[in-house]
Amino acid sequence: MAHNLIFMTGATGVLGQELVKELLKTTHSEVAVLARAKNRASHADRVKKIFTSIDIDSHLGSRIHVIEGDVTHHKFGIKKADLEYLERECKVFYHIAALTALNGTEKECQQINVGGTEHALELAWDLRKKGKLERFIYFSTAFVAGSVWNHCSKEDKLPAKPVFANYYESSKYKAETKVREAMAKGLPVTIIRPSIVVGHSETGEVSDFNVIYPFIKLFAHGMLSKIPTHLKNTFNIVPIDFVIRATCAIVKDPRSVNRAFHVVAPKPPTIGMLLRVGEEEYSTIPPIEVIDPKHFKKNNMSAQEQMVFAMLEPYLGYLNGHLTFDTRNTRQILRGTGIPMPKTDHPFLKTLVRYAVKVGYLAI
Ligand SMILES: NC(=O)c1ccc[n+]([C@@H]2O[C@H](COP(=O)([O-])OP(=O)(O)OC[C@H]3O[C@@H](n4cnc5c(N)ncnc54)[C@H](OP(=O)(O)O)[C@@H]3O)[C@@H](O)[C@H]2O)c1
């Protein structure tokens, strides 16, 4: 019999991997992870390889159970015996899987993020009614509020008329709406809303360079020379170790049932700070020209730069929005846990860039 079985989707992703590791280290729980086969590797081989690469030894690894499935299918297409196992044992269900590419198409985002969450909720209701599920934990994003408008996002509601930068944001909004509907019907839910997750606060380490990193790469590699923004604009990033520790502390606290939590930087860095780090670390690249978005004209760029600029468009909201986040719920729960809100200052940006250079993601 499993001790307090946790079931998790998205365990092979950047956040899921670290969360599994933390849960294995800090609890006695066993963790059942949903995984799919990919690039000719079986679901089980992929999980084994990933967890070995992040130093989960065989002792800790013996508490991981791998379940084959895909979130785009009803009940994730999980085999009958595995469904019965979850019904018998699962107490906590983390739905983390999503398509996180900011340039994902409308169809892909709908299928994976909205459809995937509907399927997760369908399964959660079954595990609640037939089994012993106590909590459904959903990974949303701080940008469900839409990144391209001037708004202070509250934790316990969604804005009525958000302004989105891409299909990732709009699909996560629809998905959180579904989760909130289930919560209103009696499913015990906790919603975690990180901003843009980046490397470890002290080392910069991260297992994959997604979301904001490809954007930094375009500039660091000299592929774009102009950027439509203001130096004083901010972008909200949050170190991965804070997201993991804060999530565990939030979930552990019974006050987190039926509430949402902004897991974000209280004082986000400015574009000016990022460009300064770029200039300090990349002395060979000419300084990037910052142009007031009102006067920015794509046509003034070379044909090659226009092509690269098209890749940047899904990110522009993050450079020009004035979205801010209320963090009352998160602060209240973290008070007394010894987990401070994260610092995302100039030295932290340097740490991130230096790690990406050290492992060869950014060339120098
Ligand atoms: N990273 C961020 O900056 C950030 C910020 C705010 C919120 N979030 C949210 O946090 C969650 C995790 O983000 P992440 O950065 O860890 O994502 P990630 O690294 O892109 O990982 C995505 C995970 O979802 C899984 N997945 C995608 N499509 C699937 C499908 N059809 N069936 C089964 N699994 C599927 C992937 O499995 P495969 O390995 O098989 O592809 C992977 O485990 C997401 O819900 C995201 O919206 C992330």
Side-chain angles (χ1 to χ4, degrees), residues 10-16 34 36 38 46 69-72 95-100 112 139-142 168 172 194-197 208 210-211:
T12 51
V14 171
L15 281 167
L34 186 88
R36 51 185 177 168
K38 216 177 189 181
R46 286 188 62 218
D70 184 312
V71 300
T72 58
H95 180 49
I96 301 183
L99 180 69
T100 54
I112 300 172
F139 265 66
S140 183
T141 164
Y168 169 71
K172 293 291 282 188
S195 60
I196 302 168
V197 180
D208 191 15
N210 66 8
V211 191

PDB file of all heavy atoms in Angstrom, residues 10-16 34 36 38 46 69-72 95-100 112 139-142 168 172 194-197 208 210-211, ligand 1:
ATOM      1  N   GLY A  10       2.801  16.328 -15.721  1.00  0.00           N
ATOM      2  CA  GLY A  10       3.850  17.338 -15.978  1.00  0.00           C
ATOM      3  C   GLY A  10       5.128  17.094 -15.191  1.00  0.00           C
ATOM      4  O   GLY A  10       5.977  17.978 -15.084  1.00  0.00           O
ATOM      5  N   ALA A  11       5.285  15.871 -14.660  1.00  0.00           N
ATOM      6  CA  ALA A  11       6.455  15.583 -13.821  1.00  0.00           C
ATOM      7  C   ALA A  11       7.756  15.543 -14.619  1.00  0.00           C
ATOM      8  O   ALA A  11       8.844  15.614 -14.047  1.00  0.00           O
ATOM      9  CB  ALA A  11       6.257  14.268 -13.086  1.00  0.00           C
ATOM     10  N   THR A  12       7.674  15.413 -15.943  1.00  0.00           N
ATOM     11  CA  THR A  12       8.900  15.407 -16.749  1.00  0.00           C
ATOM     12  C   THR A  12       9.328  16.826 -17.139  1.00  0.00           C
ATOM     13  O   THR A  12      10.371  17.008 -17.758  1.00  0.00           O
ATOM     14  CB  THR A  12       8.691  14.583 -18.046  1.00  0.00           C
ATOM     15  OG1 THR A  12       7.499  15.062 -18.693  1.00  0.00           O
ATOM     16  CG2 THR A  12       8.539  13.107 -17.754  1.00  0.00           C
ATOM     17  N   GLY A  13       8.537  17.828 -16.786  1.00  0.00           N
ATOM     18  CA  GLY A  13       8.858  19.214 -17.149  1.00  0.00           C
ATOM     19  C   GLY A  13       9.747  19.890 -16.112  1.00  0.00           C
ATOM     20  O   GLY A  13      10.118  19.293 -15.093  1.00  0.00           O
ATOM     21  N   VAL A  14      10.068  21.141 -16.376  1.00  0.00           N
ATOM     22  CA  VAL A  14      11.008  21.890 -15.529  1.00  0.00           C
ATOM     23  C   VAL A  14      10.518  21.954 -14.072  1.00  0.00           C
ATOM     24  O   VAL A  14      11.259  21.634 -13.135  1.00  0.00           O
ATOM     25  CB  VAL A  14      11.177  23.326 -16.091  1.00  0.00           C
ATOM     26  CG1 VAL A  14      11.970  24.204 -15.138  1.00  0.00           C
ATOM     27  CG2 VAL A  14      11.850  23.290 -17.456  1.00  0.00           C
ATOM     28  N   LEU A  15       9.278  22.348 -13.873  1.00  0.00           N
ATOM     29  CA  LEU A  15       8.775  22.487 -12.502  1.00  0.00           C
ATOM     30  C   LEU A  15       8.449  21.136 -11.883  1.00  0.00           C
ATOM     31  O   LEU A  15       8.740  20.895 -10.712  1.00  0.00           O
ATOM     32  CB  LEU A  15       7.523  23.362 -12.502  1.00  0.00           C
ATOM     33  CG  LEU A  15       7.798  24.861 -12.592  1.00  0.00           C
ATOM     34  CD1 LEU A  15       6.527  25.639 -12.895  1.00  0.00           C
ATOM     35  CD2 LEU A  15       8.387  25.369 -11.288  1.00  0.00           C
ATOM     36  N   GLY A  16       7.828  20.253 -12.688  1.00  0.00           N
ATOM     37  CA  GLY A  16       7.412  18.956 -12.171  1.00  0.00           C
ATOM     38  C   GLY A  16       8.591  18.153 -11.614  1.00  0.00           C
ATOM     39  O   GLY A  16       8.512  17.602 -10.518  1.00  0.00           O
ATOM     40  N   LEU A  34       2.418  10.847 -14.340  1.00  0.00           N
ATOM     41  CA  LEU A  34       1.884  10.547 -15.673  1.00  0.00           C
ATOM     42  C   LEU A  34       2.972  10.895 -16.691  1.00  0.00           C
ATOM     43  O   LEU A  34       3.584  11.968 -16.610  1.00  0.00           O
ATOM     44  CB  LEU A  34       0.652  11.416 -15.953  1.00  0.00           C
ATOM     45  CG  LEU A  34      -0.057  11.068 -17.264  1.00  0.00           C
ATOM     46  CD1 LEU A  34      -1.082   9.958 -17.013  1.00  0.00           C
ATOM     47  CD2 LEU A  34      -0.775  12.279 -17.856  1.00  0.00           C
ATOM     48  N   ARG A  36       4.334  10.244 -21.041  1.00  0.00           N
ATOM     49  CA  ARG A  36       4.031   9.668 -22.357  1.00  0.00           C
ATOM     50  C   ARG A  36       5.337   9.237 -23.030  1.00  0.00           C
ATOM     51  O   ARG A  36       6.415   9.749 -22.690  1.00  0.00           O
ATOM     52  CB  ARG A  36       3.283  10.684 -23.219  1.00  0.00           C
ATOM     53  CG  ARG A  36       3.957  12.034 -23.283  1.00  0.00           C
ATOM     54  CD  ARG A  36       3.142  13.057 -24.038  1.00  0.00           C
ATOM     55  NE  ARG A  36       3.818  14.359 -23.994  1.00  0.00           N
ATOM     56  CZ  ARG A  36       3.484  15.384 -24.738  1.00  0.00           C
ATOM     57  NH1 ARG A  36       2.489  15.296 -25.588  1.00  0.00           N
ATOM     58  NH2 ARG A  36       4.143  16.526 -24.636  1.00  0.00           N
ATOM     59  N   LYS A  38       7.957   9.251 -26.066  1.00  0.00           N
ATOM     60  CA  LYS A  38       8.347  10.357 -26.955  1.00  0.00           C
ATOM     61  C   LYS A  38       9.647   9.998 -27.655  1.00  0.00           C
ATOM     62  O   LYS A  38      10.532   9.402 -27.020  1.00  0.00           O
ATOM     63  CB  LYS A  38       8.582  11.600 -26.092  1.00  0.00           C
ATOM     64  CG  LYS A  38       8.155  12.913 -26.719  1.00  0.00           C
ATOM     65  CD  LYS A  38       8.400  14.004 -25.678  1.00  0.00           C
ATOM     66  CE  LYS A  38       7.852  15.318 -26.025  1.00  0.00           C
ATOM     67  NZ  LYS A  38       8.128  16.317 -25.010  1.00  0.00           N
ATOM     68  N   ARG A  46      11.773   7.284 -20.215  1.00  0.00           N
ATOM     69  CA  ARG A  46      11.956   8.750 -20.148  1.00  0.00           C
ATOM     70  C   ARG A  46      12.009   9.211 -18.685  1.00  0.00           C
ATOM     71  O   ARG A  46      12.876   9.992 -18.295  1.00  0.00           O
ATOM     72  CB  ARG A  46      10.802   9.468 -20.861  1.00  0.00           C
ATOM     73  CG  ARG A  46      10.862   9.376 -22.361  1.00  0.00           C
ATOM     74  CD  ARG A  46       9.803  10.267 -22.955  1.00  0.00           C
ATOM     75  NE  ARG A  46      10.014  11.648 -22.604  1.00  0.00           N
ATOM     76  CZ  ARG A  46       9.036  12.504 -22.322  1.00  0.00           C
ATOM     77  NH1 ARG A  46       7.785  12.140 -22.355  1.00  0.00           N
ATOM     78  NH2 ARG A  46       9.324  13.750 -22.014  1.00  0.00           N
ATOM     79  N   GLY A  69       0.237   7.898 -20.011  1.00  0.00           N
ATOM     80  CA  GLY A  69      -0.969   8.638 -20.378  1.00  0.00           C
ATOM     81  C   GLY A  69      -0.645   9.941 -21.078  1.00  0.00           C
ATOM     82  O   GLY A  69       0.514  10.370 -21.159  1.00  0.00           O
ATOM     83  N   ASP A  70      -1.712  10.534 -21.600  1.00  0.00           N
ATOM     84  CA  ASP A  70      -1.577  11.794 -22.340  1.00  0.00           C
ATOM     85  C   ASP A  70      -2.771  12.659 -21.954  1.00  0.00           C
ATOM     86  O   ASP A  70      -3.921  12.183 -22.017  1.00  0.00           O
ATOM     87  CB  ASP A  70      -1.603  11.462 -23.848  1.00  0.00           C
ATOM     88  CG  ASP A  70      -1.366  12.685 -24.716  1.00  0.00           C
ATOM     89  OD1 ASP A  70      -2.007  13.727 -24.473  1.00  0.00           O
ATOM     90  OD2 ASP A  70      -0.535  12.605 -25.624  1.00  0.00           O
ATOM     91  N   VAL A  71      -2.523  13.900 -21.565  1.00  0.00           N
ATOM     92  CA  VAL A  71      -3.612  14.723 -21.005  1.00  0.00           C
ATOM     93  C   VAL A  71      -4.672  15.083 -22.038  1.00  0.00           C
ATOM     94  O   VAL A  71      -5.749  15.547 -21.674  1.00  0.00           O
ATOM     95  CB  VAL A  71      -3.087  16.002 -20.310  1.00  0.00           C
ATOM     96  CG1 VAL A  71      -2.154  15.653 -19.158  1.00  0.00           C
ATOM     97  CG2 VAL A  71      -2.429  16.956 -21.282  1.00  0.00           C
ATOM     98  N   THR A  72      -4.386  14.866 -23.329  1.00  0.00           N
ATOM     99  CA  THR A  72      -5.385  15.231 -24.335  1.00  0.00           C
ATOM    100  C   THR A  72      -6.473  14.145 -24.485  1.00  0.00           C
ATOM    101  O   THR A  72      -7.395  14.309 -25.261  1.00  0.00           O
ATOM    102  CB  THR A  72      -4.725  15.498 -25.713  1.00  0.00           C
ATOM    103  OG1 THR A  72      -4.027  14.321 -26.108  1.00  0.00           O
ATOM    104  CG2 THR A  72      -3.779  16.673 -25.655  1.00  0.00           C
ATOM    105  N   HIS A  95      -2.047  18.877 -11.014  1.00  0.00           N
ATOM    106  CA  HIS A  95      -2.111  18.961 -12.489  1.00  0.00           C
ATOM    107  C   HIS A  95      -1.179  20.093 -12.942  1.00  0.00           C
ATOM    108  O   HIS A  95      -1.482  21.273 -12.796  1.00  0.00           O
ATOM    109  CB  HIS A  95      -3.536  19.199 -12.966  1.00  0.00           C
ATOM    110  CG  HIS A  95      -3.628  19.293 -14.457  1.00  0.00           C
ATOM    111  ND1 HIS A  95      -3.056  18.355 -15.295  1.00  0.00           N
ATOM    112  CD2 HIS A  95      -4.187  20.224 -15.269  1.00  0.00           C
ATOM    113  CE1 HIS A  95      -3.271  18.700 -16.559  1.00  0.00           C
ATOM    114  NE2 HIS A  95      -3.950  19.828 -16.574  1.00  0.00           N
ATOM    115  N   ILE A  96      -0.043  19.681 -13.501  1.00  0.00           N
ATOM    116  CA  ILE A  96       1.023  20.635 -13.866  1.00  0.00           C
ATOM    117  C   ILE A  96       1.236  20.668 -15.380  1.00  0.00           C
ATOM    118  O   ILE A  96       1.671  21.675 -15.939  1.00  0.00           O
ATOM    119  CB  ILE A  96       2.338  20.244 -13.140  1.00  0.00           C
ATOM    120  CG1 ILE A  96       2.109  20.250 -11.619  1.00  0.00           C
ATOM    121  CG2 ILE A  96       3.468  21.192 -13.496  1.00  0.00           C
ATOM    122  CD1 ILE A  96       3.336  19.952 -10.797  1.00  0.00           C
ATOM    123  N   ALA A  97       0.900  19.562 -16.065  1.00  0.00           N
ATOM    124  CA  ALA A  97       1.195  19.463 -17.508  1.00  0.00           C
ATOM    125  C   ALA A  97       0.537  20.595 -18.289  1.00  0.00           C
ATOM    126  O   ALA A  97      -0.605  20.973 -18.018  1.00  0.00           O
ATOM    127  CB  ALA A  97       0.698  18.123 -18.050  1.00  0.00           C
ATOM    128  N   ALA A  98       1.270  21.135 -19.238  1.00  0.00           N
ATOM    129  CA  ALA A  98       0.724  22.177 -20.123  1.00  0.00           C
ATOM    130  C   ALA A  98       1.651  22.339 -21.312  1.00  0.00           C
ATOM    131  O   ALA A  98       2.808  21.899 -21.285  1.00  0.00           O
ATOM    132  CB  ALA A  98       0.618  23.500 -19.382  1.00  0.00           C
ATOM    133  N   LEU A  99       1.134  22.990 -22.337  1.00  0.00           N
ATOM    134  CA  LEU A  99       2.011  23.448 -23.411  1.00  0.00           C
ATOM    135  C   LEU A  99       2.450  24.849 -22.986  1.00  0.00           C
ATOM    136  O   LEU A  99       1.629  25.756 -22.872  1.00  0.00           O
ATOM    137  CB  LEU A  99       1.250  23.504 -24.734  1.00  0.00           C
ATOM    138  CG  LEU A  99       2.106  23.988 -25.912  1.00  0.00           C
ATOM    139  CD1 LEU A  99       3.160  22.946 -26.278  1.00  0.00           C
ATOM    140  CD2 LEU A  99       1.256  24.280 -27.130  1.00  0.00           C
ATOM    141  N   THR A 100       3.749  25.013 -22.745  1.00  0.00           N
ATOM    142  CA  THR A 100       4.217  26.285 -22.190  1.00  0.00           C
ATOM    143  C   THR A 100       4.842  27.197 -23.245  1.00  0.00           C
ATOM    144  O   THR A 100       5.242  28.312 -22.929  1.00  0.00           O
ATOM    145  CB  THR A 100       5.245  26.041 -21.058  1.00  0.00           C
ATOM    146  OG1 THR A 100       6.284  25.203 -21.569  1.00  0.00           O
ATOM    147  CG2 THR A 100       4.601  25.368 -19.864  1.00  0.00           C
ATOM    148  N   ILE A 112      -4.247  20.997 -25.242  1.00  0.00           N
ATOM    149  CA  ILE A 112      -3.414  20.556 -24.111  1.00  0.00           C
ATOM    150  C   ILE A 112      -3.778  21.313 -22.829  1.00  0.00           C
ATOM    151  O   ILE A 112      -3.946  20.711 -21.769  1.00  0.00           O
ATOM    152  CB  ILE A 112      -1.914  20.721 -24.454  1.00  0.00           C
ATOM    153  CG1 ILE A 112      -1.586  19.874 -25.686  1.00  0.00           C
ATOM    154  CG2 ILE A 112      -1.044  20.328 -23.262  1.00  0.00           C
ATOM    155  CD1 ILE A 112      -0.204  20.089 -26.253  1.00  0.00           C
ATOM    156  N   PHE A 139      -1.552  24.027 -11.385  1.00  0.00           N
ATOM    157  CA  PHE A 139      -0.550  25.033 -11.750  1.00  0.00           C
ATOM    158  C   PHE A 139      -1.109  25.911 -12.852  1.00  0.00           C
ATOM    159  O   PHE A 139      -1.219  25.506 -14.004  1.00  0.00           O
ATOM    160  CB  PHE A 139       0.767  24.389 -12.177  1.00  0.00           C
ATOM    161  CG  PHE A 139       1.732  24.303 -11.036  1.00  0.00           C
ATOM    162  CD1 PHE A 139       1.448  23.473  -9.956  1.00  0.00           C
ATOM    163  CD2 PHE A 139       2.891  25.058 -11.004  1.00  0.00           C
ATOM    164  CE1 PHE A 139       2.313  23.401  -8.867  1.00  0.00           C
ATOM    165  CE2 PHE A 139       3.763  24.996  -9.924  1.00  0.00           C
ATOM    166  CZ  PHE A 139       3.482  24.165  -8.851  1.00  0.00           C
ATOM    167  N   SER A 140      -1.461  27.128 -12.466  1.00  0.00           N
ATOM    168  CA  SER A 140      -1.923  28.119 -13.419  1.00  0.00           C
ATOM    169  C   SER A 140      -0.717  29.007 -13.754  1.00  0.00           C
ATOM    170  O   SER A 140       0.429  28.561 -13.680  1.00  0.00           O
ATOM    171  CB  SER A 140      -3.059  28.906 -12.756  1.00  0.00           C
ATOM    172  OG  SER A 140      -3.603  29.824 -13.644  1.00  0.00           O
ATOM    173  N   THR A 141      -0.946  30.235 -14.102  1.00  0.00           N
ATOM    174  CA  THR A 141       0.146  31.198 -14.304  1.00  0.00           C
ATOM    175  C   THR A 141      -0.338  32.566 -13.850  1.00  0.00           C
ATOM    176  O   THR A 141      -1.537  32.860 -13.944  1.00  0.00           O
ATOM    177  CB  THR A 141       0.585  31.262 -15.783  1.00  0.00           C
ATOM    178  OG1 THR A 141       1.354  32.458 -15.981  1.00  0.00           O
ATOM    179  CG2 THR A 141      -0.578  31.312 -16.746  1.00  0.00           C
ATOM    180  N   ALA A 142       0.616  33.383 -13.393  1.00  0.00           N
ATOM    181  CA  ALA A 142       0.251  34.758 -13.000  1.00  0.00           C
ATOM    182  C   ALA A 142      -0.313  35.514 -14.202  1.00  0.00           C
ATOM    183  O   ALA A 142      -1.092  36.455 -14.040  1.00  0.00           O
ATOM    184  CB  ALA A 142       1.479  35.468 -12.446  1.00  0.00           C
ATOM    185  N   TYR A 168      -1.173  30.956 -25.249  1.00  0.00           N
ATOM    186  CA  TYR A 168      -0.816  30.320 -23.972  1.00  0.00           C
ATOM    187  C   TYR A 168      -1.612  30.985 -22.849  1.00  0.00           C
ATOM    188  O   TYR A 168      -2.291  30.325 -22.067  1.00  0.00           O
ATOM    189  CB  TYR A 168       0.696  30.441 -23.732  1.00  0.00           C
ATOM    190  CG  TYR A 168       1.109  30.049 -22.332  1.00  0.00           C
ATOM    191  CD1 TYR A 168       1.080  28.718 -21.926  1.00  0.00           C
ATOM    192  CD2 TYR A 168       1.509  31.008 -21.401  1.00  0.00           C
ATOM    193  CE1 TYR A 168       1.440  28.351 -20.632  1.00  0.00           C
ATOM    194  CE2 TYR A 168       1.867  30.659 -20.111  1.00  0.00           C
ATOM    195  CZ  TYR A 168       1.833  29.325 -19.729  1.00  0.00           C
ATOM    196  OH  TYR A 168       2.179  28.963 -18.448  1.00  0.00           O
ATOM    197  N   LYS A 172      -4.709  29.336 -20.664  1.00  0.00           N
ATOM    198  CA  LYS A 172      -4.558  29.129 -19.217  1.00  0.00           C
ATOM    199  C   LYS A 172      -5.689  29.851 -18.462  1.00  0.00           C
ATOM    200  O   LYS A 172      -6.132  29.398 -17.417  1.00  0.00           O
ATOM    201  CB  LYS A 172      -3.181  29.616 -18.738  1.00  0.00           C
ATOM    202  CG  LYS A 172      -2.002  28.825 -19.256  1.00  0.00           C
ATOM    203  CD  LYS A 172      -1.888  27.403 -18.718  1.00  0.00           C
ATOM    204  CE  LYS A 172      -1.324  27.315 -17.332  1.00  0.00           C
ATOM    205  NZ  LYS A 172      -1.047  25.907 -16.923  1.00  0.00           N
ATOM    206  N   PRO A 194       2.575  30.900 -10.669  1.00  0.00           N
ATOM    207  CA  PRO A 194       3.928  31.496 -10.766  1.00  0.00           C
ATOM    208  C   PRO A 194       3.967  32.541 -11.882  1.00  0.00           C
ATOM    209  O   PRO A 194       3.146  32.503 -12.804  1.00  0.00           O
ATOM    210  CB  PRO A 194       4.817  30.308 -11.139  1.00  0.00           C
ATOM    211  CG  PRO A 194       3.961  29.083 -11.090  1.00  0.00           C
ATOM    212  CD  PRO A 194       2.545  29.529 -11.207  1.00  0.00           C
ATOM    213  N   SER A 195       4.945  33.443 -11.804  1.00  0.00           N
ATOM    214  CA  SER A 195       5.170  34.341 -12.957  1.00  0.00           C
ATOM    215  C   SER A 195       6.108  33.608 -13.915  1.00  0.00           C
ATOM    216  O   SER A 195       5.882  32.433 -14.187  1.00  0.00           O
ATOM    217  CB  SER A 195       5.704  35.704 -12.497  1.00  0.00           C
ATOM    218  OG  SER A 195       6.931  35.548 -11.804  1.00  0.00           O
ATOM    219  N   ILE A 196       7.159  34.231 -14.428  1.00  0.00           N
ATOM    220  CA  ILE A 196       8.051  33.518 -15.361  1.00  0.00           C
ATOM    221  C   ILE A 196       9.137  32.814 -14.534  1.00  0.00           C
ATOM    222  O   ILE A 196       9.926  33.483 -13.850  1.00  0.00           O
ATOM    223  CB  ILE A 196       8.699  34.500 -16.355  1.00  0.00           C
ATOM    224  CG1 ILE A 196       7.615  35.249 -17.142  1.00  0.00           C
ATOM    225  CG2 ILE A 196       9.652  33.775 -17.282  1.00  0.00           C
ATOM    226  CD1 ILE A 196       8.131  36.435 -17.920  1.00  0.00           C
ATOM    227  N   VAL A 197       9.154  31.486 -14.622  1.00  0.00           N
ATOM    228  CA  VAL A 197      10.079  30.726 -13.779  1.00  0.00           C
ATOM    229  C   VAL A 197      11.463  30.690 -14.423  1.00  0.00           C
ATOM    230  O   VAL A 197      11.600  30.363 -15.608  1.00  0.00           O
ATOM    231  CB  VAL A 197       9.556  29.295 -13.542  1.00  0.00           C
ATOM    232  CG1 VAL A 197      10.515  28.510 -12.655  1.00  0.00           C
ATOM    233  CG2 VAL A 197       8.158  29.340 -12.916  1.00  0.00           C
ATOM    234  N   ASP A 208      15.926  23.158 -18.001  1.00  0.00           N
ATOM    235  CA  ASP A 208      15.624  23.445 -19.407  1.00  0.00           C
ATOM    236  C   ASP A 208      15.460  24.958 -19.555  1.00  0.00           C
ATOM    237  O   ASP A 208      14.964  25.618 -18.641  1.00  0.00           O
ATOM    238  CB  ASP A 208      14.318  22.726 -19.803  1.00  0.00           C
ATOM    239  CG  ASP A 208      14.101  22.751 -21.302  1.00  0.00           C
ATOM    240  OD1 ASP A 208      15.051  23.058 -22.052  1.00  0.00           O
ATOM    241  OD2 ASP A 208      12.960  22.462 -21.736  1.00  0.00           O
ATOM    242  N   ASN A 210      13.384  27.396 -20.974  1.00  0.00           N
ATOM    243  CA  ASN A 210      12.153  27.675 -21.718  1.00  0.00           C
ATOM    244  C   ASN A 210      11.619  29.077 -21.395  1.00  0.00           C
ATOM    245  O   ASN A 210      12.281  29.869 -20.724  1.00  0.00           O
ATOM    246  CB  ASN A 210      11.106  26.559 -21.487  1.00  0.00           C
ATOM    247  CG  ASN A 210      10.616  26.494 -20.063  1.00  0.00           C
ATOM    248  OD1 ASN A 210      10.919  27.355 -19.256  1.00  0.00           O
ATOM    249  ND2 ASN A 210       9.854  25.466 -19.750  1.00  0.00           N
ATOM    250  N   VAL A 211      10.490  29.406 -21.904  1.00  0.00           N
ATOM    251  CA  VAL A 211       9.732  30.648 -21.694  1.00  0.00           C
ATOM    252  C   VAL A 211      10.543  31.909 -22.004  1.00  0.00           C
ATOM    253  O   VAL A 211      10.551  32.371 -23.131  1.00  0.00           O
ATOM    254  CB  VAL A 211       9.085  30.699 -20.291  1.00  0.00           C
ATOM    255  CG1 VAL A 211       8.091  31.856 -20.186  1.00  0.00           C
ATOM    256  CG2 VAL A 211       8.346  29.385 -19.997  1.00  0.00           C
TER     257      VAL A 211
HETATM  258  N1  LIG B   1       7.889  27.729 -16.584  1.00  0.00           N
HETATM  259  C1  LIG B   1       7.259  28.861 -16.328  1.00  0.00           C
HETATM  260  O1  LIG B   1       7.809  29.962 -16.471  1.00  0.00           O
HETATM  261  C2  LIG B   1       5.852  28.846 -15.804  1.00  0.00           C
HETATM  262  C3  LIG B   1       5.321  30.026 -15.302  1.00  0.00           C
HETATM  263  C4  LIG B   1       4.016  30.049 -14.830  1.00  0.00           C
HETATM  264  C5  LIG B   1       3.267  28.897 -14.845  1.00  0.00           C
HETATM  265  N2  LIG B   1       3.801  27.761 -15.345  1.00  0.00           N
HETATM  266  C6  LIG B   1       2.942  26.575 -15.380  1.00  0.00           C
HETATM  267  O2  LIG B   1       3.593  25.536 -14.669  1.00  0.00           O
HETATM  268  C7  LIG B   1       3.376  24.299 -15.316  1.00  0.00           C
HETATM  269  C8  LIG B   1       4.699  23.604 -15.614  1.00  0.00           C
HETATM  270  O3  LIG B   1       5.519  24.441 -16.415  1.00  0.00           O
HETATM  271  P1  LIG B   1       6.965  23.937 -16.884  1.00  0.00           P
HETATM  272  O4  LIG B   1       7.769  25.135 -17.189  1.00  0.00           O
HETATM  273  O5  LIG B   1       7.484  22.919 -15.936  1.00  0.00           O
HETATM  274  O6  LIG B   1       6.581  23.249 -18.258  1.00  0.00           O
HETATM  275  P2  LIG B   1       7.485  22.370 -19.236  1.00  0.00           P
HETATM  276  O7  LIG B   1       8.864  22.266 -18.779  1.00  0.00           O
HETATM  277  O8  LIG B   1       7.197  22.872 -20.605  1.00  0.00           O
HETATM  278  O9  LIG B   1       6.822  20.923 -19.058  1.00  0.00           O
HETATM  279  C9  LIG B   1       5.532  20.657 -19.527  1.00  0.00           C
HETATM  280  C10 LIG B   1       5.090  19.328 -18.969  1.00  0.00           C
HETATM  281  O10 LIG B   1       3.770  19.051 -19.472  1.00  0.00           O
HETATM  282  C11 LIG B   1       3.811  17.763 -20.064  1.00  0.00           C
HETATM  283  N3  LIG B   1       2.858  17.658 -21.169  1.00  0.00           N
HETATM  284  C12 LIG B   1       2.662  18.524 -22.187  1.00  0.00           C
HETATM  285  N4  LIG B   1       1.746  18.038 -23.026  1.00  0.00           N
HETATM  286  C13 LIG B   1       1.349  16.849 -22.515  1.00  0.00           C
HETATM  287  C14 LIG B   1       0.429  15.872 -22.931  1.00  0.00           C
HETATM  288  N5  LIG B   1      -0.294  16.011 -24.056  1.00  0.00           N
HETATM  289  N6  LIG B   1       0.254  14.765 -22.162  1.00  0.00           N
HETATM  290  C15 LIG B   1       0.985  14.593 -21.032  1.00  0.00           C
HETATM  291  N7  LIG B   1       1.883  15.490 -20.586  1.00  0.00           N
HETATM  292  C16 LIG B   1       2.064  16.601 -21.327  1.00  0.00           C
HETATM  293  C17 LIG B   1       5.224  17.606 -20.584  1.00  0.00           C
HETATM  294  O11 LIG B   1       5.464  16.244 -20.839  1.00  0.00           O
HETATM  295  P3  LIG B   1       6.554  15.779 -21.945  1.00  0.00           P
HETATM  296  O12 LIG B   1       7.863  15.742 -21.221  1.00  0.00           O
HETATM  297  O13 LIG B   1       6.064  14.440 -22.340  1.00  0.00           O
HETATM  298  O14 LIG B   1       6.521  16.774 -23.065  1.00  0.00           O
HETATM  299  C18 LIG B   1       5.990  18.169 -19.400  1.00  0.00           C
HETATM  300  O15 LIG B   1       6.053  17.225 -18.361  1.00  0.00           O
HETATM  301  C19 LIG B   1       2.526  24.598 -16.552  1.00  0.00           C
HETATM  302  O16 LIG B   1       1.175  24.364 -16.231  1.00  0.00           O
HETATM  303  C20 LIG B   1       2.746  26.074 -16.806  1.00  0.00           C
HETATM  304  O17 LIG B   1       1.637  26.665 -17.426  1.00  0.00           O
HETATM  305  C21 LIG B   1       5.076  27.696 -15.824  1.00  0.00           C
END
